[in-house]
PDB file of all heavy atoms in Angstrom:
ATOM      1  N   GLN A 249     -17.938   7.854  12.580  1.00  0.00           N
ATOM      2  CA  GLN A 249     -17.571   6.547  12.024  1.00  0.00           C
ATOM      3  C   GLN A 249     -16.146   6.602  11.478  1.00  0.00           C
ATOM      4  O   GLN A 249     -15.734   7.632  10.929  1.00  0.00           O
ATOM      5  CB  GLN A 249     -18.502   6.143  10.875  1.00  0.00           C
ATOM      6  CG  GLN A 249     -19.889   5.744  11.292  1.00  0.00           C
ATOM      7  CD  GLN A 249     -20.710   5.336  10.083  1.00  0.00           C
ATOM      8  OE1 GLN A 249     -20.889   6.132   9.164  1.00  0.00           O
ATOM      9  NE2 GLN A 249     -21.200   4.113  10.076  1.00  0.00           N
ATOM     10  N   GLU A 250     -15.429   5.498  11.620  1.00  0.00           N
ATOM     11  CA  GLU A 250     -14.112   5.364  11.009  1.00  0.00           C
ATOM     12  C   GLU A 250     -14.152   4.202  10.038  1.00  0.00           C
ATOM     13  O   GLU A 250     -14.660   3.119  10.375  1.00  0.00           O
ATOM     14  CB  GLU A 250     -13.018   5.185  12.055  1.00  0.00           C
ATOM     15  CG  GLU A 250     -12.735   6.468  12.806  1.00  0.00           C
ATOM     16  CD  GLU A 250     -11.537   6.360  13.719  1.00  0.00           C
ATOM     17  OE1 GLU A 250     -10.923   5.275  13.820  1.00  0.00           O
ATOM     18  OE2 GLU A 250     -11.193   7.398  14.338  1.00  0.00           O
ATOM     19  N   PHE A 251     -13.621   4.423   8.845  1.00  0.00           N
ATOM     20  CA  PHE A 251     -13.650   3.434   7.773  1.00  0.00           C
ATOM     21  C   PHE A 251     -12.232   3.068   7.344  1.00  0.00           C
ATOM     22  O   PHE A 251     -11.349   3.931   7.331  1.00  0.00           O
ATOM     23  CB  PHE A 251     -14.360   3.995   6.535  1.00  0.00           C
ATOM     24  CG  PHE A 251     -15.771   4.432   6.750  1.00  0.00           C
ATOM     25  CD1 PHE A 251     -16.064   5.740   7.132  1.00  0.00           C
ATOM     26  CD2 PHE A 251     -16.818   3.541   6.571  1.00  0.00           C
ATOM     27  CE1 PHE A 251     -17.369   6.160   7.311  1.00  0.00           C
ATOM     28  CE2 PHE A 251     -18.135   3.946   6.748  1.00  0.00           C
ATOM     29  CZ  PHE A 251     -18.417   5.265   7.129  1.00  0.00           C
ATOM     30  N   HIS A 252     -12.062   1.807   6.982  1.00  0.00           N
ATOM     31  CA  HIS A 252     -10.873   1.421   6.215  1.00  0.00           C
ATOM     32  C   HIS A 252     -11.293   1.692   4.773  1.00  0.00           C
ATOM     33  O   HIS A 252     -11.928   0.871   4.123  1.00  0.00           O
ATOM     34  CB  HIS A 252     -10.535  -0.051   6.460  1.00  0.00           C
ATOM     35  CG  HIS A 252      -9.350  -0.528   5.684  1.00  0.00           C
ATOM     36  ND1 HIS A 252      -8.923  -1.835   5.733  1.00  0.00           N
ATOM     37  CD2 HIS A 252      -8.494   0.096   4.837  1.00  0.00           C
ATOM     38  CE1 HIS A 252      -7.868  -1.986   4.954  1.00  0.00           C
ATOM     39  NE2 HIS A 252      -7.598  -0.827   4.396  1.00  0.00           N
ATOM     40  N   ALA A 253     -10.949   2.894   4.288  1.00  0.00           N
ATOM     41  CA  ALA A 253     -11.494   3.374   3.021  1.00  0.00           C
ATOM     42  C   ALA A 253     -10.925   2.628   1.821  1.00  0.00           C
ATOM     43  O   ALA A 253     -11.654   2.273   0.897  1.00  0.00           O
ATOM     44  CB  ALA A 253     -11.227   4.870   2.870  1.00  0.00           C
ATOM     45  N   ALA A 254      -9.618   2.402   1.817  1.00  0.00           N
ATOM     46  CA  ALA A 254      -8.971   1.751   0.675  1.00  0.00           C
ATOM     47  C   ALA A 254      -7.562   1.339   1.065  1.00  0.00           C
ATOM     48  O   ALA A 254      -7.027   1.795   2.071  1.00  0.00           O
ATOM     49  CB  ALA A 254      -8.929   2.699  -0.519  1.00  0.00           C
ATOM     50  N   THR A 255      -6.971   0.470   0.260  1.00  0.00           N
ATOM     51  CA  THR A 255      -5.568   0.098   0.416  1.00  0.00           C
ATOM     52  C   THR A 255      -4.863   0.392  -0.903  1.00  0.00           C
ATOM     53  O   THR A 255      -5.271  -0.108  -1.946  1.00  0.00           O
ATOM     54  CB  THR A 255      -5.424  -1.386   0.777  1.00  0.00           C
ATOM     55  OG1 THR A 255      -6.083  -1.632   2.028  1.00  0.00           O
ATOM     56  CG2 THR A 255      -3.959  -1.782   0.904  1.00  0.00           C
ATOM     57  N   LEU A 256      -3.858   1.236  -0.809  1.00  0.00           N
ATOM     58  CA  LEU A 256      -3.084   1.627  -1.983  1.00  0.00           C
ATOM     59  C   LEU A 256      -1.619   1.326  -1.732  1.00  0.00           C
ATOM     60  O   LEU A 256      -1.184   1.255  -0.583  1.00  0.00           O
ATOM     61  CB  LEU A 256      -3.228   3.125  -2.273  1.00  0.00           C
ATOM     62  CG  LEU A 256      -4.448   3.582  -3.056  1.00  0.00           C
ATOM     63  CD1 LEU A 256      -5.691   3.526  -2.211  1.00  0.00           C
ATOM     64  CD2 LEU A 256      -4.228   4.981  -3.565  1.00  0.00           C
ATOM     65  N   PRO A 257      -0.825   1.157  -2.798  1.00  0.00           N
ATOM     66  CA  PRO A 257       0.615   0.951  -2.589  1.00  0.00           C
ATOM     67  C   PRO A 257       1.304   2.270  -2.234  1.00  0.00           C
ATOM     68  O   PRO A 257       1.086   3.276  -2.899  1.00  0.00           O
ATOM     69  CB  PRO A 257       1.104   0.415  -3.932  1.00  0.00           C
ATOM     70  CG  PRO A 257       0.109   0.909  -4.928  1.00  0.00           C
ATOM     71  CD  PRO A 257      -1.203   1.038  -4.206  1.00  0.00           C
ATOM     72  N   LEU A 258       2.114   2.239  -1.191  1.00  0.00           N
ATOM     73  CA  LEU A 258       3.000   3.358  -0.881  1.00  0.00           C
ATOM     74  C   LEU A 258       4.319   3.019  -1.548  1.00  0.00           C
ATOM     75  O   LEU A 258       4.985   2.067  -1.165  1.00  0.00           O
ATOM     76  CB  LEU A 258       3.186   3.523   0.624  1.00  0.00           C
ATOM     77  CG  LEU A 258       4.237   4.562   1.016  1.00  0.00           C
ATOM     78  CD1 LEU A 258       3.757   5.971   0.670  1.00  0.00           C
ATOM     79  CD2 LEU A 258       4.565   4.462   2.493  1.00  0.00           C
ATOM     80  N   GLU A 259       4.673   3.787  -2.562  1.00  0.00           N
ATOM     81  CA  GLU A 259       5.875   3.484  -3.339  1.00  0.00           C
ATOM     82  C   GLU A 259       6.984   4.465  -3.009  1.00  0.00           C
ATOM     83  O   GLU A 259       6.749   5.672  -2.906  1.00  0.00           O
ATOM     84  CB  GLU A 259       5.549   3.528  -4.837  1.00  0.00           C
ATOM     85  CG  GLU A 259       4.531   2.466  -5.229  1.00  0.00           C
ATOM     86  CD  GLU A 259       4.218   2.447  -6.715  1.00  0.00           C
ATOM     87  OE1 GLU A 259       4.872   3.186  -7.480  1.00  0.00           O
ATOM     88  OE2 GLU A 259       3.320   1.693  -7.100  1.00  0.00           O
ATOM     89  N   LEU A 260       8.177   3.927  -2.829  1.00  0.00           N
ATOM     90  CA  LEU A 260       9.369   4.732  -2.598  1.00  0.00           C
ATOM     91  C   LEU A 260      10.240   4.642  -3.849  1.00  0.00           C
ATOM     92  O   LEU A 260      10.469   3.555  -4.363  1.00  0.00           O
ATOM     93  CB  LEU A 260      10.151   4.217  -1.387  1.00  0.00           C
ATOM     94  CG  LEU A 260       9.421   4.161  -0.052  1.00  0.00           C
ATOM     95  CD1 LEU A 260      10.351   3.651   1.030  1.00  0.00           C
ATOM     96  CD2 LEU A 260       8.851   5.524   0.332  1.00  0.00           C
ATOM     97  N   TYR A 261      10.720   5.797  -4.302  1.00  0.00           N
ATOM     98  CA  TYR A 261      11.559   5.845  -5.511  1.00  0.00           C
ATOM     99  C   TYR A 261      12.925   6.408  -5.169  1.00  0.00           C
ATOM    100  O   TYR A 261      13.053   7.330  -4.357  1.00  0.00           O
ATOM    101  CB  TYR A 261      10.906   6.733  -6.581  1.00  0.00           C
ATOM    102  CG  TYR A 261       9.581   6.215  -7.071  1.00  0.00           C
ATOM    103  CD1 TYR A 261       8.396   6.743  -6.563  1.00  0.00           C
ATOM    104  CD2 TYR A 261       9.513   5.201  -8.013  1.00  0.00           C
ATOM    105  CE1 TYR A 261       7.170   6.263  -7.004  1.00  0.00           C
ATOM    106  CE2 TYR A 261       8.300   4.713  -8.457  1.00  0.00           C
ATOM    107  CZ  TYR A 261       7.125   5.253  -7.948  1.00  0.00           C
ATOM    108  OH  TYR A 261       5.912   4.779  -8.386  1.00  0.00           O
ATOM    109  N   VAL A 262      13.956   5.886  -5.804  1.00  0.00           N
ATOM    110  CA  VAL A 262      15.319   6.331  -5.573  1.00  0.00           C
ATOM    111  C   VAL A 262      15.444   7.824  -5.896  1.00  0.00           C
ATOM    112  O   VAL A 262      16.165   8.563  -5.223  1.00  0.00           O
ATOM    113  CB  VAL A 262      16.303   5.498  -6.423  1.00  0.00           C
ATOM    114  CG1 VAL A 262      17.707   6.094  -6.381  1.00  0.00           C
ATOM    115  CG2 VAL A 262      16.334   4.068  -5.924  1.00  0.00           C
ATOM    116  N   SER A 263      14.723   8.290  -6.893  1.00  0.00           N
ATOM    117  CA  SER A 263      14.803   9.703  -7.290  1.00  0.00           C
ATOM    118  C   SER A 263      14.242  10.654  -6.243  1.00  0.00           C
ATOM    119  O   SER A 263      14.512  11.858  -6.295  1.00  0.00           O
ATOM    120  CB  SER A 263      14.074   9.914  -8.618  1.00  0.00           C
ATOM    121  OG  SER A 263      12.721   9.507  -8.492  1.00  0.00           O
ATOM    122  N   ASP A 264      13.481  10.129  -5.268  1.00  0.00           N
ATOM    123  CA  ASP A 264      12.840  10.991  -4.255  1.00  0.00           C
ATOM    124  C   ASP A 264      13.463  10.862  -2.871  1.00  0.00           C
ATOM    125  O   ASP A 264      12.856  11.279  -1.880  1.00  0.00           O
ATOM    126  CB  ASP A 264      11.342  10.666  -4.173  1.00  0.00           C
ATOM    127  CG  ASP A 264      10.589  11.066  -5.420  1.00  0.00           C
ATOM    128  OD1 ASP A 264      11.078  11.933  -6.165  1.00  0.00           O
ATOM    129  OD2 ASP A 264       9.504  10.505  -5.655  1.00  0.00           O
ATOM    130  N   THR A 265      14.656  10.277  -2.766  1.00  0.00           N
ATOM    131  CA  THR A 265      15.233  10.043  -1.441  1.00  0.00           C
ATOM    132  C   THR A 265      15.472  11.332  -0.664  1.00  0.00           C
ATOM    133  O   THR A 265      15.358  11.345   0.560  1.00  0.00           O
ATOM    134  CB  THR A 265      16.546   9.239  -1.530  1.00  0.00           C
ATOM    135  OG1 THR A 265      17.450   9.905  -2.418  1.00  0.00           O
ATOM    136  CG2 THR A 265      16.288   7.820  -2.000  1.00  0.00           C
ATOM    137  N   GLU A 266      15.781  12.415  -1.358  1.00  0.00           N
ATOM    138  CA  GLU A 266      15.984  13.685  -0.656  1.00  0.00           C
ATOM    139  C   GLU A 266      14.698  14.131   0.037  1.00  0.00           C
ATOM    140  O   GLU A 266      14.723  14.615   1.170  1.00  0.00           O
ATOM    141  CB  GLU A 266      16.449  14.759  -1.633  1.00  0.00           C
ATOM    142  CG  GLU A 266      16.719  16.090  -0.957  1.00  0.00           C
ATOM    143  CD  GLU A 266      17.086  17.200  -1.928  1.00  0.00           C
ATOM    144  OE1 GLU A 266      17.445  16.892  -3.076  1.00  0.00           O
ATOM    145  OE2 GLU A 266      17.002  18.358  -1.526  1.00  0.00           O
ATOM    146  N   ALA A 267      13.562  13.954  -0.628  1.00  0.00           N
ATOM    147  CA  ALA A 267      12.265  14.316  -0.042  1.00  0.00           C
ATOM    148  C   ALA A 267      11.958  13.449   1.179  1.00  0.00           C
ATOM    149  O   ALA A 267      11.490  13.949   2.203  1.00  0.00           O
ATOM    150  CB  ALA A 267      11.162  14.182  -1.086  1.00  0.00           C
ATOM    151  N   TYR A 268      12.221  12.135   1.088  1.00  0.00           N
ATOM    152  CA  TYR A 268      11.972  11.243   2.229  1.00  0.00           C
ATOM    153  C   TYR A 268      12.856  11.609   3.403  1.00  0.00           C
ATOM    154  O   TYR A 268      12.413  11.596   4.551  1.00  0.00           O
ATOM    155  CB  TYR A 268      12.201   9.775   1.833  1.00  0.00           C
ATOM    156  CG  TYR A 268      11.461   9.325   0.609  1.00  0.00           C
ATOM    157  CD1 TYR A 268      12.053   8.446  -0.300  1.00  0.00           C
ATOM    158  CD2 TYR A 268      10.168   9.755   0.320  1.00  0.00           C
ATOM    159  CE1 TYR A 268      11.392   8.011  -1.442  1.00  0.00           C
ATOM    160  CE2 TYR A 268       9.501   9.336  -0.823  1.00  0.00           C
ATOM    161  CZ  TYR A 268      10.116   8.470  -1.696  1.00  0.00           C
ATOM    162  OH  TYR A 268       9.466   8.058  -2.813  1.00  0.00           O
ATOM    163  N   MET A 269      14.108  11.946   3.108  1.00  0.00           N
ATOM    164  CA  MET A 269      15.046  12.318   4.165  1.00  0.00           C
ATOM    165  C   MET A 269      14.564  13.589   4.869  1.00  0.00           C
ATOM    166  O   MET A 269      14.608  13.690   6.096  1.00  0.00           O
ATOM    167  CB  MET A 269      16.446  12.530   3.568  1.00  0.00           C
ATOM    168  CG  MET A 269      17.530  12.653   4.596  1.00  0.00           C
ATOM    169  SD  MET A 269      19.179  12.485   3.866  1.00  0.00           S
ATOM    170  CE  MET A 269      19.192  13.814   2.698  1.00  0.00           C
ATOM    171  N   HIS A 270      14.071  14.528   4.083  1.00  0.00           N
ATOM    172  CA  HIS A 270      13.536  15.771   4.653  1.00  0.00           C
ATOM    173  C   HIS A 270      12.352  15.472   5.574  1.00  0.00           C
ATOM    174  O   HIS A 270      12.251  16.027   6.669  1.00  0.00           O
ATOM    175  CB  HIS A 270      13.111  16.722   3.532  1.00  0.00           C
ATOM    176  CG  HIS A 270      12.471  17.975   4.004  1.00  0.00           C
ATOM    177  ND1 HIS A 270      13.178  19.005   4.545  1.00  0.00           N
ATOM    178  CD2 HIS A 270      11.159  18.335   4.042  1.00  0.00           C
ATOM    179  CE1 HIS A 270      12.335  19.976   4.887  1.00  0.00           C
ATOM    180  NE2 HIS A 270      11.106  19.586   4.589  1.00  0.00           N
ATOM    181  N   GLU A 271      11.464  14.579   5.147  1.00  0.00           N
ATOM    182  CA  GLU A 271      10.281  14.233   5.955  1.00  0.00           C
ATOM    183  C   GLU A 271      10.677  13.519   7.236  1.00  0.00           C
ATOM    184  O   GLU A 271      10.104  13.770   8.308  1.00  0.00           O
ATOM    185  CB  GLU A 271       9.310  13.377   5.141  1.00  0.00           C
ATOM    186  CG  GLU A 271       8.021  13.054   5.854  1.00  0.00           C
ATOM    187  CD  GLU A 271       7.190  14.292   6.183  1.00  0.00           C
ATOM    188  OE1 GLU A 271       7.206  15.266   5.415  1.00  0.00           O
ATOM    189  OE2 GLU A 271       6.524  14.273   7.239  1.00  0.00           O
ATOM    190  N   LEU A 272      11.654  12.625   7.171  1.00  0.00           N
ATOM    191  CA  LEU A 272      12.090  11.900   8.365  1.00  0.00           C
ATOM    192  C   LEU A 272      12.722  12.818   9.397  1.00  0.00           C
ATOM    193  O   LEU A 272      12.768  12.479  10.577  1.00  0.00           O
ATOM    194  CB  LEU A 272      13.073  10.793   7.979  1.00  0.00           C
ATOM    195  CG  LEU A 272      12.485   9.606   7.221  1.00  0.00           C
ATOM    196  CD1 LEU A 272      13.597   8.702   6.706  1.00  0.00           C
ATOM    197  CD2 LEU A 272      11.509   8.834   8.073  1.00  0.00           C
ATOM    198  N   GLN A 273      13.212  13.977   8.990  1.00  0.00           N
ATOM    199  CA  GLN A 273      13.848  14.908   9.919  1.00  0.00           C
ATOM    200  C   GLN A 273      12.861  15.868  10.571  1.00  0.00           C
ATOM    201  O   GLN A 273      13.245  16.660  11.424  1.00  0.00           O
ATOM    202  CB  GLN A 273      14.941  15.707   9.189  1.00  0.00           C
ATOM    203  CG  GLN A 273      16.108  14.849   8.770  1.00  0.00           C
ATOM    204  CD  GLN A 273      17.082  15.574   7.855  1.00  0.00           C
ATOM    205  OE1 GLN A 273      16.816  16.677   7.376  1.00  0.00           O
ATOM    206  NE2 GLN A 273      18.216  14.936   7.594  1.00  0.00           N
ATOM    207  N   THR A 274      11.592  15.808  10.210  1.00  0.00           N
ATOM    208  CA  THR A 274      10.588  16.684  10.827  1.00  0.00           C
ATOM    209  C   THR A 274      10.248  16.173  12.221  1.00  0.00           C
ATOM    210  O   THR A 274      10.585  15.047  12.599  1.00  0.00           O
ATOM    211  CB  THR A 274       9.302  16.751   9.979  1.00  0.00           C
ATOM    212  OG1 THR A 274       8.739  15.435   9.871  1.00  0.00           O
ATOM    213  CG2 THR A 274       9.586  17.311   8.599  1.00  0.00           C
ATOM    214  N   ARG A 275       9.560  17.006  12.990  1.00  0.00           N
ATOM    215  CA  ARG A 275       9.199  16.644  14.354  1.00  0.00           C
ATOM    216  C   ARG A 275       8.297  15.402  14.378  1.00  0.00           C
ATOM    217  O   ARG A 275       8.425  14.548  15.230  1.00  0.00           O
ATOM    218  CB  ARG A 275       8.474  17.811  15.027  1.00  0.00           C
ATOM    219  CG  ARG A 275       8.109  17.543  16.471  1.00  0.00           C
ATOM    220  CD  ARG A 275       7.473  18.744  17.103  1.00  0.00           C
ATOM    221  NE  ARG A 275       8.430  19.839  17.154  1.00  0.00           N
ATOM    222  CZ  ARG A 275       8.105  21.098  17.381  1.00  0.00           C
ATOM    223  NH1 ARG A 275       6.837  21.429  17.556  1.00  0.00           N
ATOM    224  NH2 ARG A 275       9.024  22.038  17.418  1.00  0.00           N
ATOM    225  N   GLU A 276       7.370  15.335  13.429  1.00  0.00           N
ATOM    226  CA  GLU A 276       6.460  14.179  13.347  1.00  0.00           C
ATOM    227  C   GLU A 276       6.410  13.688  11.901  1.00  0.00           C
ATOM    228  O   GLU A 276       5.618  14.178  11.100  1.00  0.00           O
ATOM    229  CB  GLU A 276       5.062  14.561  13.829  1.00  0.00           C
ATOM    230  CG  GLU A 276       4.108  13.395  13.877  1.00  0.00           C
ATOM    231  CD  GLU A 276       2.703  13.795  14.323  1.00  0.00           C
ATOM    232  OE1 GLU A 276       2.467  14.986  14.594  1.00  0.00           O
ATOM    233  OE2 GLU A 276       1.854  12.908  14.381  1.00  0.00           O
ATOM    234  N   PRO A 277       7.284  12.737  11.534  1.00  0.00           N
ATOM    235  CA  PRO A 277       7.254  12.226  10.153  1.00  0.00           C
ATOM    236  C   PRO A 277       5.864  11.707   9.791  1.00  0.00           C
ATOM    237  O   PRO A 277       5.208  11.054  10.608  1.00  0.00           O
ATOM    238  CB  PRO A 277       8.282  11.096  10.176  1.00  0.00           C
ATOM    239  CG  PRO A 277       9.203  11.446  11.297  1.00  0.00           C
ATOM    240  CD  PRO A 277       8.323  12.105  12.335  1.00  0.00           C
ATOM    241  N   SER A 278       5.446  12.013   8.587  1.00  0.00           N
ATOM    242  CA  SER A 278       4.077  11.694   8.172  1.00  0.00           C
ATOM    243  C   SER A 278       4.018  11.119   6.779  1.00  0.00           C
ATOM    244  O   SER A 278       4.962  11.214   5.998  1.00  0.00           O
ATOM    245  CB  SER A 278       3.210  12.955   8.219  1.00  0.00           C
ATOM    246  OG  SER A 278       3.195  13.525   9.500  1.00  0.00           O
ATOM    247  N   VAL A 279       2.871  10.539   6.491  1.00  0.00           N
ATOM    248  CA  VAL A 279       2.496  10.089   5.155  1.00  0.00           C
ATOM    249  C   VAL A 279       1.410  11.045   4.692  1.00  0.00           C
ATOM    250  O   VAL A 279       0.590  11.505   5.492  1.00  0.00           O
ATOM    251  CB  VAL A 279       1.963   8.639   5.195  1.00  0.00           C
ATOM    252  CG1 VAL A 279       1.373   8.239   3.866  1.00  0.00           C
ATOM    253  CG2 VAL A 279       3.063   7.682   5.592  1.00  0.00           C
ATOM    254  N   TYR A 280       1.401  11.367   3.413  1.00  0.00           N
ATOM    255  CA  TYR A 280       0.417  12.299   2.872  1.00  0.00           C
ATOM    256  C   TYR A 280      -0.640  11.504   2.100  1.00  0.00           C
ATOM    257  O   TYR A 280      -0.317  10.720   1.223  1.00  0.00           O
ATOM    258  CB  TYR A 280       1.101  13.316   1.968  1.00  0.00           C
ATOM    259  CG  TYR A 280       2.061  14.179   2.743  1.00  0.00           C
ATOM    260  CD1 TYR A 280       3.354  13.719   3.034  1.00  0.00           C
ATOM    261  CD2 TYR A 280       1.673  15.409   3.240  1.00  0.00           C
ATOM    262  CE1 TYR A 280       4.230  14.488   3.790  1.00  0.00           C
ATOM    263  CE2 TYR A 280       2.550  16.188   3.987  1.00  0.00           C
ATOM    264  CZ  TYR A 280       3.812  15.716   4.262  1.00  0.00           C
ATOM    265  OH  TYR A 280       4.670  16.461   5.014  1.00  0.00           O
ATOM    266  N   VAL A 281      -1.900  11.725   2.484  1.00  0.00           N
ATOM    267  CA  VAL A 281      -3.029  11.019   1.872  1.00  0.00           C
ATOM    268  C   VAL A 281      -3.807  12.033   1.038  1.00  0.00           C
ATOM    269  O   VAL A 281      -4.203  13.093   1.540  1.00  0.00           O
ATOM    270  CB  VAL A 281      -3.944  10.398   2.945  1.00  0.00           C
ATOM    271  CG1 VAL A 281      -5.151   9.737   2.305  1.00  0.00           C
ATOM    272  CG2 VAL A 281      -3.167   9.409   3.798  1.00  0.00           C
ATOM    273  N   VAL A 282      -4.031  11.701  -0.233  1.00  0.00           N
ATOM    274  CA  VAL A 282      -4.782  12.586  -1.125  1.00  0.00           C
ATOM    275  C   VAL A 282      -6.175  11.990  -1.337  1.00  0.00           C
ATOM    276  O   VAL A 282      -6.313  10.857  -1.803  1.00  0.00           O
ATOM    277  CB  VAL A 282      -4.067  12.748  -2.488  1.00  0.00           C
ATOM    278  CG1 VAL A 282      -4.865  13.649  -3.417  1.00  0.00           C
ATOM    279  CG2 VAL A 282      -2.659  13.310  -2.278  1.00  0.00           C
TER     280      VAL A 282
END
């Protein structure tokens, strides 16, 4: 079974732009779900 489990805000912060840039440069940019 596949569920739409929840909807949460994905927030981008100016202080984390280096981390986002690093992720965009990977072979497969991803979002991390906890």
